[in-house]
Amino acid sequence: MWSADEIAELCYLHYRTRLPKQGKPDPNREWTSLAAVVKVESSTQREVLASPGNLQVTKEVVAMGTGTKCIGQNKMRKTGDILNDSHAEIVAKRSFQRYLLHQMWLAASHQQCSIFIPGTETGKWKLKPNTTFVFFSSHTPCGDASIIPMSEPENQLSKPVTGGDAAGQLERRSNHDHLGPEDKRKSEKTASNRMIKRMKTDDDGYFSVIPEDLTVQQVSVKREDDTNPKSCEYSAEMQTANKETGLGRPKVVDVYRTGAKCVPGELGDARIPGLGYHCVGLLRVKPGRGDRTCSMSCSDKLARWNVLGCQGALLMHFLQYPVYLSAIVVGKCPYSQEVMRRAIVERCQHISFLPDGFLPQEVKLLQSDLRFEHSRQAIQEVQTNSKTKLVPCSAAISWSAVPEQPLDVTSDGFRQGTTKRRIGSHQSRMKTLETYWDYKEAALNYQEAWKVLRSQALLGWVKNATEYLHFT
């Protein structure tokens, strides 16, 4: 029907031709991430019977978002006029909800061009059976899906490990074993800081690659304490991968880092240099610059959408079934099929006793070989000899396939160009679907499904205080 490259190419073309220059990064010093929702319509049963040899599939971008930023807790507002999370995936999902709302209006107006048809419940709508949605992201989602094994060749791309380097590593590790508890702690902190220093520049981004001066490490994964079983789980996973190296596969020696932080009060990362730096399968919040955020990682949110749907609580008032994604396509970047499946599907696969209509999905996971032109890696390659420091673009673009104001450009959570004097005014507010807390809570089946999901799989999910949702 379609390929991952076709989806990626369609999204990149839409980005180049339909989005304005305003809000896009300056390619000389900035990068960004892109996400989109693509509507896929296949031939109806009647069309297949009429012309069995001519199966048509149409693809259309219906929502798009760019962005890498997320505001800290201290910048959150109780008036509902600021966007807390402007990562591309979340902006695209918000745009998709606008599209769904418009399509619902078309259906209520008895217009056949709508994607919805009447459901069996009075006043409820459902998707046409030949309509599905594919989610595209130019990069692996931040959080659990970005903790990807790094094999030996990848690790040595920028600096080969000489015999002396390897010997030095072994010598340092041997010396480390003879240190006292306090000296060990300082030694591990120093080693960890040396690796993290350049990663800190990616706090607002999606992942942090291993710095150029990182040599091959084969540090055994240890638990930070006896209450952290996830470390052992990850160690076993890597040991299994390394046992297969006899088949000619490169040895796994490290992992790509994620800037997302473990949820406060829950299990934390061991931060052991090498394979044991991260613990996997944990809920995480997006990083901020000094000020911790309350926004869950994109991996966690995608896992949630895979059970509850992308429509949110408010639209469930009018839908018989949730609107699920049929596939997730990721652009060219560090990627692991197993890690993506663990982060988005497997963590919530065991959920039971959900309300009717809600079901953990077996979403299709694919990667394209086409890279986003304004991704961090693409800009780095072009600017190889430049001394200018690359930074994430501060703006986010939201585009939706709706007739009225399809486009919005924001910066720091506000519509771009908003002055301090106009913050809180109608002009500064975004056209989002967030509204009264009471309306959200009134979507009883959605809230029940969300309660079950939290209790069985996403126990540490950070919920914003209700005072931040009581706006008009």
Side-chain angles (χ1 to χ4, degrees):
M1 289 178 61
W2 51 264
S3 69
D5 282 354
E6 287 175 345
I7 296 295
E9 192 170 21
L10 183 67
C11 294
Y12 295 157
L13 177 64
H14 191 95
Y15 173 81
R16 287 193 298 268
T17 59
R18 301 293 298 274
L19 267 56
K21 186 176 181 181
Q22 181 191 14
K24 290 182 179 177
D26 175 354
N28 293 316
R29 62 183 186 87
E30 293 179 324
W31 57 273
T32 194
S33 290
L34 174 72
V37 178
V38 177
K39 179 182 70 171
V40 178
E41 285 186 327
S42 55
S43 302
T44 63
Q45 189 173 6
R46 181 184 301 174
E47 291 169 339
V48 170
L49 293 173
S51 181
N54 187 28
L55 299 180
Q56 294 291 323
V57 175
T58 59
K59 302 180 293 295
E60 177 191 1
V61 176
V62 296
M64 181 166 280
T66 71
T68 64
K69 299 288 185 175
C70 194
I71 68 166
Q73 187 174 3
N74 292 332
K75 288 187 177 180
M76 292 173 64
R77 292 167 59 87
K78 299 175 183 178
T79 48
D81 55 359
I82 190 170
L83 299 178
N84 298 337
D85 190 342
S86 293
H87 277 210
E89 293 95 325
I90 314 308
V91 176
K93 188 251 194 178
R94 203 177 288 129
S95 301
F96 182 49
Q97 289 176 324
R98 283 196 67 203
Y99 168 77
L100 292 178
L101 184 62
H102 174 66
Q103 291 295 314
M104 209 170 286
W105 178 85
L106 291 178
S109 304
H110 306 289
Q111 299 190 38
Q112 291 185 351
C113 58
S114 174
I115 61 173
F116 292 113
I117 56 176
T120 55
E121 295 180 33
T122 305
K124 296 291 183 79
W125 303 92
K126 63 180 182 180
L127 270 180
K128 289 179 177 177
N130 64 322
T131 301
T132 58
F133 295 101
V134 176
F135 192 85
F136 174 78
S137 177
S138 63
H139 202 283
T140 46
C142 66
D144 200 52
S146 285
I147 305 175
I148 301 169
M150 176 181 281
S151 59
E152 207 159 19
E154 290 178 280
N155 189 279
Q156 298 181 44
L157 279 176
S158 49
K159 183 183 177 182
V161 180
T162 63
D165 289 333
Q169 285 289 338
L170 292 171
E171 183 181 349
R172 284 192 291 275
R173 201 176 308 125
S174 176
N175 291 340
H176 179 274
D177 292 338
H178 294 90
L179 294 175
E182 181 62 23
D183 290 329
K184 274 189 179 182
R185 186 187 65 78
K186 290 180 179 178
S187 174
E188 288 177 357
K189 184 176 180 181
T190 302
S192 183
N193 285 343
R194 183 170 64 252
M195 287 196 300
I196 298 169
K197 188 169 288 184
R198 295 185 193 176
M199 298 174 196
K200 290 293 185 184
T201 63
D202 196 23
D203 269 355
D204 291 305
Y206 285 72
F207 82 110
S208 303
V209 294
I210 306 303
E212 287 86 343
D213 58 348
L214 178 65
T215 50
V216 173
Q217 301 190 47
Q218 299 172 31
V219 183
S220 61
V221 181
K222 301 177 183 177
R223 285 183 291 175
E224 193 171 21
D225 52 55
D226 291 337
T227 64
N228 198 344
K230 292 288 183 179
S231 298
C232 292
E233 174 189 324
Y234 193 58
S235 176
E237 188 178 311
M238 289 305 173
Q239 286 171 7
T240 301
N242 282 338
K243 282 179 183 177
E244 297 175 353
T245 56
L247 302 174
R249 297 178 182 178
K251 187 167 187 175
V252 174
V253 294
D254 213 313
V255 292
Y256 285 94
R257 311 289 197 253
T258 178
K261 314 297 183 186
C262 294
V263 169
E266 300 292 317
L267 292 177
D269 288 321
R271 293 180 175 266
I272 299 171
L275 298 182
Y277 187 85
H278 283 306
C279 297
V280 301
L282 304 184
L283 291 173
R284 296 173 181 273
V285 292
K286 289 168 179 165
R289 293 198 175 277
D291 182 18
R292 183 180 283 273
T293 79
C294 291
S295 298
M296 301 301 293
S297 74
C298 290
S299 294
D300 297 332
K301 291 187 176 183
L302 279 162
R304 173 180 172 172
W305 304 343
N306 199 47
V307 178
L308 303 184
C310 291
Q311 73 294 321
L314 299 182
L315 288 179
M316 276 308 296
H317 283 290
F318 313 103
L319 291 173
Q320 186 166 344
Y321 305 109
V323 177
Y324 290 115
L325 300 170
S326 64
I328 298 173
V329 176
V330 176
K332 186 177 180 180
C333 65
Y335 178 88
S336 165
Q337 184 78 4
E338 292 75 20
V339 171
M340 279 285 288
R341 179 171 172 76
R342 177 195 72 213
I344 295 171
V345 178
E346 291 178 356
R347 287 195 291 172
C348 303
Q349 211 169 22
H350 63 283
I351 300 299
S352 56
F353 304 111
L354 287 165
D356 290 344
F358 292 90
L359 190 69
Q361 300 295 296
E362 273 293 336
V363 63
K364 188 185 296 184
L365 303 172
L366 301 164
Q367 186 185 27
S368 166
D369 288 326
L370 304 179
R371 186 160 61 186
F372 179 43
E373 63 190 86
H374 286 157
S375 69
R376 183 174 186 172
Q377 299 95 320
I379 299 298
Q380 279 177 331
E381 283 189 10
V382 174
Q383 300 294 331
T384 303
N385 299 320
S386 174
K387 294 182 179 180
T388 304
K389 180 182 176 182
L390 295 182
V391 295
C393 181
S394 62
I397 305 175
S398 166
W399 181 91
S400 183
V402 297
E404 293 184 19
Q405 197 179 347
L407 188 76
D408 264 312
V409 180
T410 58
S411 182
D412 297 321
F414 293 108
R415 178 171 290 156
Q416 201 168 62
T418 300
T419 61
K420 286 186 177 180
R421 184 173 59 85
R422 292 176 62 187
I423 288 178
S425 67
H426 173 73
Q427 287 78 10
S428 71
R429 297 178 69 94
M430 297 298 302
K431 286 182 176 292
T432 69
L433 297 179
E434 302 295 335
T435 182
Y436 300 104
W437 169 254
D438 295 336
Y439 281 99
K440 291 174 70 73
E441 288 297 290
L444 298 180
N445 59 343
Y446 180 91
Q447 294 300 342
E448 177 62 23
W450 180 211
K451 181 180 178 181
V452 170
L453 178 57
R454 283 203 311 273
S455 66
Q456 296 184 34
L458 307 179
L459 282 76
W461 191 279
V462 176
K463 292 188 70 177
N464 293 333
T466 57
E467 61 196 44
Y468 289 108
L469 300 171
H470 282 306
F471 55 83
T472 59

